[in-house]
Amino acid sequence: MTQAPAGPSRHFVLAAGGTGGHLTPAFALAQELDRRGHHVALVTDERGAAIPGKPDFLPAHVLPAGRFGKNPLKWFSGAKAVWEGRSMALRLFETFEPTAVIGFGGYPALPALLAARKAEVPSVIHEQNAVLGRVNRLLAGGVKAIATAYPDVARLKDAHREKVHLVGNPVRAGVLALREEEFPPFTQDGLLRVLVTGGSQGARVLSEVVPDGLAMLPPALRSRLQVTQQCRPEDLDAVRARYAGHDIPAELGTYFENMAERLADAHLFIGRAGASTIAELTAVGRPAILVPLPIATDDHQAANTREIVKAGGARSIRQNNFSAKELAKQIGALAKRPDTLATAAHAAWNCGRPDAAKDLADLMESFGGDTIQDVIRVGGNNARGATQGQSVAQGAAKEPAR
């Protein structure tokens, strides 16, 4: 795709907050727009302002963002907060004069998008998951474009499909830089490096099941394990005791700052199926065993796994079926031969959309021009270097469409 012609510097507002899953793609887009010479501002909530990773050049404007849960008694206070946030966003727009506003889903994005509609500023929404979220469903009818991370997105009305641009989910620059590196060699007698994470807060089920599942592997494979696992603080001692009892070397922590380096070294990932996790696994090309969060809204984590599982890059296990025995079975199938993991890694890599930040920036730059630029990426967006993790002969069978 041809990049939008260079023009005068523009102003863009990015609205995201609540969780890292919304902020990470916003930060990546901000860096790309800044690289192109534009001015960018972030509208977020208090939780979003505390999430690490915000670029130094990006000013953050903290707005109130109400939530609308199942308790009707809290709806009034939620609506009042959204209205207050909308008024604050309108005042920001008067001075910042944005060319366009983009929201990344979640209630913290709602005030800024409602303000954009009132001020008649073009707006875009980006959906990181394979199911259109509640706030994005509410806003879909009034925005100029809907950017998606997956070709198929559930809960998207047919009337809105003509607005859809498939761009992918932008990932951190440090992770994206690993895309052209080879899958780490895995030999018949070499180490099997396993990375286990449960999202920003960890996951108790992984702490309970993974150590026992790894212990059930055949002795020849178990003796070659090298595990890195993120745990919740309250689970740390129990997980350490489990690994010690199984005589499996494991590095445990509640948070790893150098996650990109650990992902680069890993042969296998085990964890949840959040949008950012899937985006990073497919950007780098790492095989995975995914356990979707069962209480995720609209079961969106299970939907997130479908593309990578269908391609052969991951196995998905529902949490009610996630037992030590089942985990050992799936790991054994992936690691039974040295080339099996590399083949899965290549399949995951082929699902990646490495130009997500660039394509999303192209879409934002199209506002203020003559037409909305088409950045749809159904196939052929990742053909360069398509033999990652394999020999040319091995990769030929799974070469992406050109």
Side-chain angles (χ1 to χ4, degrees), residues 191-249:
L191 290 174
L192 172 60
R193 292 189 290 273
V194 180
L195 175 63
V196 187
T197 76
S200 60
Q201 301 300 317
R204 173 164 292 173
V205 68
L206 297 177
S207 296
E208 294 174 345
V209 173
V210 174
D212 294 345
L214 295 174
M216 294 179 68
L217 292 172
L221 184 58
R222 188 179 66 213
S223 64
R224 296 155 51 202
L225 288 170
Q226 187 176 77
V227 181
T228 300
Q229 182 162 347
Q230 176 213 15
C231 310
R232 302 192 308 177
E234 60 268 35
D235 296 335
L236 200 60
D237 290 340
V239 177
R240 183 174 288 113
R242 283 177 184 262
Y243 278 117
H246 296 314
D247 196 25
I248 296 174

Side-chain angles (χ1 to χ4, degrees), residues 35-179:
R35 186 187 67 81
R36 298 183 185 195
H38 301 301
H39 299 284
V40 191
L42 173 70
V43 169
T44 188
D45 62 343
E46 290 183 357
R47 284 200 303 160
I51 291 174
K54 185 180 75 67
D56 292 337
F57 64 81
L58 182 64
H61 302 268
V62 178
L63 273 58
R67 296 186 60 84
F68 301 87
K70 297 180 180 179
N71 185 356
L73 297 177
K74 296 183 178 180
W75 291 354
F76 176 76
S77 61
K80 182 180 179 182
V82 169
W83 201 254
E84 182 182 350
R86 173 182 174 273
S87 298
M88 294 173 66
L90 282 170
R91 291 195 293 271
L92 170 64
F93 294 173
E94 289 177 359
T95 56
F96 193 66
E97 297 183 347
T99 299
V101 178
I102 180 170
F104 287 85
Y107 287 108
L110 187 55
L113 270 294
L114 291 177
R117 184 178 300 182
K118 173 67 176 177
E120 298 184 345
V121 175
S123 56
V124 177
I125 53 176
H126 180 270
E127 179 56 62
Q128 298 91 57
N129 294 296
V131 180
L132 200 66
R134 291 175 182 173
V135 170
N136 280 347
R137 291 201 298 270
L138 177 66
L139 297 167
V143 300
K144 295 293 186 182
I146 302 170
T148 66
Y150 294 91
D152 299 312
V153 178
R155 305 296 295 270
L156 176 68
K157 292 182 178 179
D158 289 341
H160 300 153
R161 293 188 183 277
E162 64 180 14
K163 302 180 183 182
V164 171
H165 299 257
L166 175 60
V167 299
N169 192 12
V171 300
R172 296 171 293 172
V175 172
L176 190 60
L178 303 172
R179 183 165 175 81

